[in-house]
Amino acid sequence: MKKFTCREMGGTCDAVIEGNTAEEVSQKGQAHVEEMSAQGEESHKALKEGMDAQGEEGKAKWWEGFQKKFAEKPDA
Ligand SMILES: [Zn+2]
């Protein structure tokens, strides 16, 4: 199990996202941003817009970087 904060994943708050795989943490992180955004939280709304706007190339780049971060992070 590894733990990341929203901020460590490129987000804006200190909510903790945890999971056993990079895929799991990434999915939960995305769900967190969508949830906060749906609640009308402005900084997460901006994040979601940025995520939607970055396209496949941007997403692939983020994913590549995040996989490295996940591998380097010690188990929590
Ligand atoms: Zn957040």
Side-chain angles (χ1 to χ4, degrees):
M1 177 82 89
K2 298 194 186 193
K3 289 184 183 173
F4 282 83
T5 61
C6 176
R7 207 181 298 279
E8 283 176 310
M9 298 174 74
T12 56
C13 78
D14 292 313
V16 175
I17 320 285
E18 52 184 37
N20 290 310
T21 62
E23 284 85 356
E24 192 182 347
V25 176
S26 159
Q27 278 172 11
K28 284 186 182 173
Q30 204 165 321
H32 161 76
V33 170
E34 279 172 16
E35 197 183 314
M36 296 293 283
S37 173
Q39 286 171 17
E41 203 289 309
E42 291 298 332
S43 71
H44 290 78
K45 268 196 200 173
L47 275 178
K48 187 172 168 358
E49 278 165 24
M51 275 157 58
D52 290 344
Q54 71 184 344
E56 288 308 313
E57 202 178 317
K59 279 180 197 154
K61 209 171 172 186
W62 180 88
W63 175 236
E64 205 174 293
F66 181 68
Q67 280 177 299
K68 277 192 196 121
K69 271 195 194 174
F70 188 88
E72 286 162 7
K73 188 105 175 167
D75 278 341

